[in-house]
Amino acid sequence: ADVKVFLSIRPVSEIMGQNQILEAFPKAVVLVSIVSKSYLESKWCIREIQEFCRVALGSTGLAVGNRLRVFKVVKLPVPAENPLPDLVKNTLGFPFYTSKDGTAVELDPSFGADMASQFNFAVAMLASRLADTIEQFAAAQTPDASPPPPRKGLVYLAECSWDLVPIRKQMEAELRGNGYDVVPDCAVPSRIDEEYTAEVTRVLGPCGLSIHLVSDMIGAVPDGRSQQSCTAIQNSVAVAQSKARGLPRIIWLPEGTVSQNPGH
C-alpha cells in the first residue's frame, strides 16, 4: 500500500510485525507519535521513531520547508522527553490535554460538550497540518508540479504560559486558515537566557507581525543572569525590532487580567 501517514502507538507493534513496520518507513511521508509515559518507556517505540528519523534524513530529509515530518501528539505532560530525537523533543507538538484548576486533564469527549469541542478542534488542527505537510512533500517530489499558492506572510505567535496555550492554538488555527504561516513551529530552546534571546531574534527576523499572549502568570524562566521569563524576553526582542524596522506588535491579555507579582 502507498503509506502516507504512519501512526506510532504501543499496540501497533502487536498488530504488525516489527519488520513490517520498518519496511513501511521509506513509503511514509509523516510519522504521528502518540507520546505518553508508557510510550517513552517502550524500547520499541523509541527505536521506531529513531529509525524513521534515520531513514528520512538519509533520503528526502526530515523536514518539508519549515515543517517537520514527525508529528508529536501529547496525551498528557510527561516529566522528560529525553529518549526522543532532539528535533522531535524541540517541537511544540499537539497537546491533547487541557488544564483544570492547575491539573492537566486529557481531552476526552465523554467528559462533556466543552471537552468534546476541544478534542474535535485538536483533531482538526492535527489533520489540517498533516494534509498541508503531505501536499508540500508531494509538490517537492514533483519538480514540474504547479507551485502552491503564495502565503500572505509570516507571523510570530509568541510562546506563552500554559494557561493561554488553548487560546494560542485557536489563534494559530485562524491565522493559518487565513493564509498566514506561523512561527515558532518548534519550542525555542530555553536552557540559557542568552541562547533563548538569540534564537527568538533569529526566528522573529523575517516576520511581519508579532503577537504576544500575556496573563497573570510569569511563565517559564530560562537559566541565566537576567531571570526574565520567556514571555518577557520575547516581548523585549519584539520591542527592539519594532524600533529598528517598524515591526507591528500585538499584546493580548484576557479581559480583567491583574497580576499580584511585582516582577510582572
Side-chain angles (χ1 to χ4, degrees):
D2 183 18
V3 179
K4 286 187 171 61
V5 179
F6 192 91
L7 179 63
S8 177
I9 53 177
R10 288 195 68 197
V12 169
S13 59
E14 299 170 8
I15 300 170
M16 299 174 62
Q18 294 185 1
N19 288 336
Q20 284 181 280
I21 293 174
L22 299 178
E23 289 168 2
F25 287 162
K27 305 175 186 178
V29 176
V30 295
L31 172 75
V32 180
S33 290
I34 312 299
V35 176
S36 63
K37 185 175 181 292
S38 58
Y39 179 96
L40 295 173
E41 292 171 349
S42 167
K43 292 182 179 180
W44 167 248
C45 287
I46 299 306
R47 181 193 170 194
E48 186 179 70
I49 192 170
Q50 290 174 342
E51 184 66 14
F52 178 88
C53 292
R54 186 192 68 78
V55 170
L57 286 169
S59 55
T60 52
L62 194 54
V64 183
N66 63 352
R67 300 279 181 85
L68 196 66
R69 289 169 54 195
V70 177
F71 285 69
K72 182 175 67 179
V73 173
V74 184
K75 292 180 66 179
L76 285 170
V78 290
E81 297 181 357
N82 293 334
L84 298 178
D86 287 342
L87 281 173
V88 180
K89 270 194 299 189
N90 289 333
T91 58
L92 291 174
F94 293 82
F96 269 63
Y97 60 87
T98 188
S99 176
K100 297 291 184 183
D101 300 323
T103 301
V105 179
E106 184 178 344
L107 295 181
D108 187 337
S110 66
F111 289 164
D114 180 62
M115 191 71 83
S117 175
Q118 292 185 58
F119 175 82
N120 290 335
F121 179 82
V123 171
M125 277 285 291
L126 176 61
S128 175
R129 294 289 294 280
L130 281 169
D132 286 348
T133 303
I134 291 170
E135 288 176 4
Q136 287 189 27
F137 182 87
Q141 305 308 306
T142 312
D144 298 331
S146 301
R151 306 290 283 175
K152 291 181 178 179
L154 188 62
V155 176
Y156 187 91
L157 184 56
E159 295 180 291
C160 58
S161 53
W162 63 266
D163 57 318
L164 295 182
V165 167
I167 296 171
R168 186 187 185 278
K169 289 194 293 183
Q170 292 175 18
M171 286 189 178
E172 180 184 1
E174 187 165 347
L175 286 164
R176 291 186 184 280
N178 280 282
Y180 294 90
D181 286 322
V182 178
V183 291
D185 260 357
C186 298
V188 180
S190 57
R191 292 180 181 176
I192 303 175
D193 55 4
E194 292 181 356
E195 294 176 0
Y196 185 84
T197 300
E199 184 63 11
V200 170
T201 301
R202 184 191 70 80
V203 175
L204 187 57
C207 296
L209 171 69
S210 68
I211 302 175
H212 304 260
L213 282 65
V214 179
S215 74
D216 60 355
M217 298 188 67
I218 295 294
V221 179
D223 194 11
R225 296 179 182 276
S226 73
Q227 290 298 292
Q228 282 192 312
S229 69
C230 293
T231 302
I233 291 174
Q234 290 174 104
N235 183 60
S236 296
V237 173
V239 168
Q241 294 201 16
S242 181
K243 291 178 179 178
R245 62 182 180 92
L247 173 72
R249 300 183 299 125
I250 296 173
I251 296 181
W252 183 93
L253 298 91
E255 186 175 0
T257 298
V258 177
S259 178
Q260 303 300 324
N261 188 314
H264 211 174

